[in-house]
Amino acid sequence: MGKDVIIACDFSTAEETFKFLDNFTEEKPYVKIGMELYYAEGPAIVKEIKKRGHKIFLDLKLHDIPNTVKKAMSVLSGLDVDMTNLHAAGTVAMMEAAIEGLTRPDGTRPLLIAVTQLTSTDEERMKNDLLIDHKLEDVVMHYAQNAKKAGLDGVVCSPLESPVVHEACGEGFCTVTPGVRFADGEKGDQVRVTTPAKAKELGSDYIVVGRPITQAADPVAAYRRCMAEFVG
Ligand code: C5P
């Protein structure tokens, strides 16, 4: 699995996004586009960023009936993104349908990653709101195993969870991990954070880094520092 740093482009307009990306004249970082930007700017922003030579993780977290997810994934694969995702809570059948939809006529497809439980869902909310009466870690691991069973490529998780995910689902099952901060940086609203170097040590395959790069005085230097620590 190719280790890489993915920059979370959490901007609300194409203008801000391109202003940020224009800082990068030598390298073409892997970027994550989320719901905010995609809903504001539509598929055009994906096509434009792709045209500029970046790899794209389209973070839209699909969750619907299998047939709808299959058709939506088929549209996304036509956008030529490199990675996309869905909620494992949609069931194994939904995840299998997603793979079918995502696979292009030539047999290739973007990487498909599952969200297990969102980090905003704690054990109490899971129990009271969702009536899931199990330990949070057990639910996360069960969902990861379902994703693997359905043929997905990995999960989004904390770098701290990378070792157990790899142990349960195999080294080839990739971990895409947010919650990364420099040792001397601001944590912001992230609670459990790790440095890029620690994420590497824990075996993360991709780190997703937003504000430490997007809000840095020198975003290119911050990106290079991340790459140096994580990829080496
Ligand atoms: O700015 P920051 O580095 O905290 O950005 C992290 C990115 O990863 C954001 O786009 C955030 O939505 C996403 N993310 C996260 N924690 C998760 C899942 C996704 O921070 N559990």
Side-chain angles (χ1 to χ4, degrees):
M1 211 47 77
K3 295 228 178 234
D4 214 339
V5 172
I6 303 178
I7 304 180
C9 284
D10 293 325
F11 301 108
S12 43
T13 65
E15 196 187 344
E16 276 179 273
T17 309
F18 292 130
K19 192 169 163 229
F20 169 74
L21 291 177
D22 284 344
N23 287 306
F24 295 87
T25 51
E26 283 173 36
E27 49 268 280
K28 295 282 179 199
Y30 207 135
V31 301
K32 176 170 92 72
I33 298 174
M35 290 184 206
E36 185 187 1
L37 188 57
Y38 189 76
Y39 291 152
E41 301 289 351
I45 184 117
V46 174
K47 290 181 189 155
E48 180 58 33
I49 295 177
K50 210 51 213 178
K51 210 162 87 188
R52 288 175 171 227
H54 297 269
K55 284 189 162 184
I56 298 180
F57 169 21
L58 191 55
D59 178 17
L60 298 182
K61 301 187 179 68
L62 274 66
H63 187 173
D64 209 315
I65 60 170
N67 187 51
T68 300
V69 169
K70 179 177 162 181
K71 289 179 173 171
M73 285 294 183
S74 161
V75 176
L76 297 185
S77 84
L79 285 180
D80 200 23
V81 297
D82 299 279
M83 182 188 294
T84 190
N85 63 358
L86 47 62
H87 274 284
T91 76
V92 172
M94 187 203 79
M95 292 191 271
E96 286 171 347
I99 298 256
E100 249 184 80
L102 206 55
T103 305
R104 303 182 184 106
D106 66 359
T108 64
R109 64 168 174 80
L111 291 176
L112 185 59
I113 305 297
V115 172
T116 55
Q117 281 293 346
L118 293 169
T119 41
S120 48
T121 307
D122 59 15
E123 204 160 290
E124 199 187 319
R125 289 190 176 106
M126 208 176 61
K127 193 169 173 174
N128 296 336
D129 297 1
L130 308 180
L131 286 184
I132 300 175
D133 201 0
H134 289 274
K135 279 183 161 325
L136 183 66
E137 304 89 83
D138 293 347
V139 175
V140 167
M141 288 316 298
H142 183 64
Y143 283 17
Q145 278 161 331
N146 282 351
K148 165 125 191 187
K149 195 157 111 189
L152 269 71
D153 305 291
V155 287
V156 179
C157 64
S158 157
L160 300 162
E161 291 158 2
S162 286
V164 278
V165 169
H166 282 140
E167 203 178 305
C169 300
E171 288 302 321
F173 191 69
C174 72
T175 53
V176 179
T177 66
V180 175
R181 291 293 179 266
F182 292 120
D184 51 4
E186 290 282 323
K187 273 169 71 173
D189 55 358
Q190 295 282 7
V191 181
R192 296 191 308 152
V193 299
T194 42
T195 62
K198 184 74 185 169
K200 179 182 187 181
E201 194 186 309
L202 291 165
S204 291
D205 297 289
Y206 296 89
I207 51 173
V208 177
V209 187
R211 288 159 292 182
I213 297 175
T214 58
Q215 305 301 312
D218 184 345
V220 177
Y223 171 73
R224 288 183 181 154
R225 181 177 172 194
C226 259
M227 286 294 282
E229 274 194 41
F230 183 68
V231 183

